[in-house]
């Protein structure tokens, strides 16, 4: 069993419009809704890969009810979300069909009380005792301590469970110091953490700050990994145009599933890049076509750096 943690769950709404123009009214051609937040996206991809998954975090208000009802229809994902008094957020992705580009709007999320956070910690400790790996993903909702992920990493490490951390800012800086197995920042998040915009030395610097391995998303350039076994760059066979929403979460699912299966680093990176690429090419945000995934996986290039 793999556990994913989404403290700031969301209802992901995708609008498709013929062309997105500032200061204009738009006729939406299609609307898609699905349960979201990074950890829930990761959970769905893990389940699609055949892994048993439990998803936890907070869900509250009418939006939280919709998220949980929709999550119940996600095969292979066990709902272990905790209710909260505040209302869960929505995220809106607007896809410009003419260019393929996407514009994203993210709400802040519910205010979590100290009592709710304390209850979650007890719940999390019980879940960690039953799983093989943990993904800690996404932003912190208001009210959750900025060092929350550091606490969750330490709880998992004490139980002998490896952790992948995917967050940003101060939450990432404090979380790295707790020594997670893997962190997966994008290039901007890595630069904020290390102060360097050169990805390779920045990735290695992030390792020295506590993470056992650092996998940096380079956007169209794929993934750059610095690990105890070596450093590699893994790239898709060609530049991709599509909706990047959820692509990073698919990469996290690829890395974590391969870690749980005991695959080596080149195989982990190949799976992560192929899943990410297949997600970019999918018509619905955060989904992927298994046939596209298999096609891309055979062409991913992994190069030592």
């Amino acid at each position: 069993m793999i556990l994913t943690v989404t403290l700031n769950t969301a209802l992901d709404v995708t609008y498709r419009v013929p062309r997105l123009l500032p200061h204009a009214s738009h006729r939406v051609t299609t609307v898609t809704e699905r349960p979201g937040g990074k950890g829930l996206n990761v959970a769905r991809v893990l389940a699609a890969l055949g892994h048993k998954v439990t998803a936890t975090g907070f869900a509250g208000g009418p939006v939280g009810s919709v998220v949980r009802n929709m999550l119940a229809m996600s095969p292979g994902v066990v709902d272990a979300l905790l209710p909260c008094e505040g209302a869960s957020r929505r995220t809106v992705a607007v896809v410009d069909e003419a260019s393929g580009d996407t514009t994203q709007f993210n709400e802040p999320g519910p205010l979590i009380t100290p009592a709710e956070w304390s209850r979650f910690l007890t719940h999390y400790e019980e879940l960690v005792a039953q799983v093989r790996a943990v993904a800690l993903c996404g932003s912190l909702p208001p009210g959750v301590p900025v060092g929350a992920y550091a606490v969750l990493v330490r709880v998992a490490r004490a139980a002998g469970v490896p952790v992948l951390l995917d967050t940003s800012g101060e939450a990432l800086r404090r979380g790295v110091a707790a020594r997670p197995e893997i962190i997966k920042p994008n290039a901007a998040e890595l630069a904020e953490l290390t102060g360097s915009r050169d990805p390779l030395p920045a990735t290695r610097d992030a390792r020295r700050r506590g993470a056992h391995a650092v996998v940096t998303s380079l956007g169209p350039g794929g993934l750059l990994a610095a690990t105890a076994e070596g450093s590699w760059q893994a790239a898709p066979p060609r530049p991709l145009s599509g909706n990047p929403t959820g692509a990073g979460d698919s990469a996290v699912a690829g890395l974590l599933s391969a870690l749980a299966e005991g695959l080596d680093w080149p195989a982990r990176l190949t799976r992560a890049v192929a899943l990410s690429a297949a997600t970019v090419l999918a018509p619905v945000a955060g989904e992927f076509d298994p046939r596209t995934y298999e096609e891309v996986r055979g062409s991913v290039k992994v190069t030592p750096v």
Side-chain angles (χ1 to χ4, degrees):
M1 180 75 75
I2 296 176
L3 177 66
T4 70
V5 176
T6 314
L7 296 176
N8 209 3
T9 55
L11 178 65
D12 286 348
V13 183
T14 301
Y15 293 153
R16 299 185 71 89
V17 298
R19 184 180 295 276
L20 182 61
L21 299 172
H23 316 299
S25 296
H26 296 80
R27 186 174 297 278
V28 176
T29 55
T30 61
V31 180
T32 307
E33 295 183 343
R34 63 181 179 80
K38 284 179 172 291
L40 295 189
N41 298 340
V42 171
R44 280 198 310 276
V45 176
L46 286 169
L49 293 171
H51 285 270
K52 295 180 179 179
V53 189
T54 295
T56 192
F58 292 106
V63 171
S65 296
V66 172
V67 167
R68 299 192 75 169
N69 289 338
M70 296 180 74
L71 190 62
M73 296 183 286
S74 298
V77 180
V78 175
D79 176 4
L81 295 169
L82 288 183
C84 61
E85 286 297 320
S88 293
R89 63 192 179 126
R90 293 162 295 182
T91 67
V92 178
V94 182
V95 180
D96 184 326
E97 294 176 331
S99 67
D101 292 335
T102 302
T103 301
Q104 189 86 12
F105 300 89
N106 297 324
E107 296 178 0
L111 176 64
I112 303 302
T113 67
E116 288 170 337
W117 174 239
S118 178
R119 185 159 53 92
F120 176 81
L121 285 176
T122 300
H123 179 62
Y124 174 77
E125 290 174 358
E126 294 170 352
L127 291 173
V128 163
Q130 308 168 40
V131 302
R132 297 167 57 196
V134 175
L136 305 175
C137 302
S139 62
L140 301 177
V144 171
V146 70
Y149 282 138
V151 173
L152 299 183
V153 169
R154 292 187 185 103
V155 169
R157 282 178 52 82
V161 178
V163 177
L164 188 155
L165 175 62
D166 182 14
T167 188
S168 60
E170 185 66 12
L172 174 59
R173 190 184 69 79
R174 297 199 187 193
V176 168
R179 302 186 61 78
E181 189 72 19
I182 305 171
I183 63 169
K184 199 211 72 64
N186 61 32
E189 292 162 350
L190 181 67
E192 183 181 7
L193 175 66
T194 65
S196 172
R197 295 195 174 277
D198 189 337
L200 183 56
T203 299
R204 291 170 175 164
D205 179 25
R207 273 202 73 225
R208 290 191 291 270
R209 292 168 185 260
H212 291 270
V214 179
V215 181
T216 303
S217 173
L218 303 177
L223 298 174
L224 178 65
T227 80
E229 290 78 25
S231 298
W232 295 269
Q233 183 168 352
R238 64 186 188 281
L240 304 173
S241 177
N243 185 353
T245 303
D249 305 328
S250 291
V252 167
L255 292 169
L256 197 62
S257 62
L259 170 66
E261 294 169 27
L263 302 184
D264 63 18
W265 271 105
R268 295 180 196 181
L269 295 169
T270 297
R271 178 180 292 180
V273 168
L275 283 169
S276 180
T279 302
V280 170
L281 295 171
V284 177
E287 305 295 337
F288 76 95
D289 182 343
R291 291 173 298 180
T292 303
Y293 162 62
E294 292 295 341
E295 290 170 4
V296 176
R297 187 172 66 164
S299 303
V300 173
K301 297 179 181 178
V302 181
T303 307
V305 293

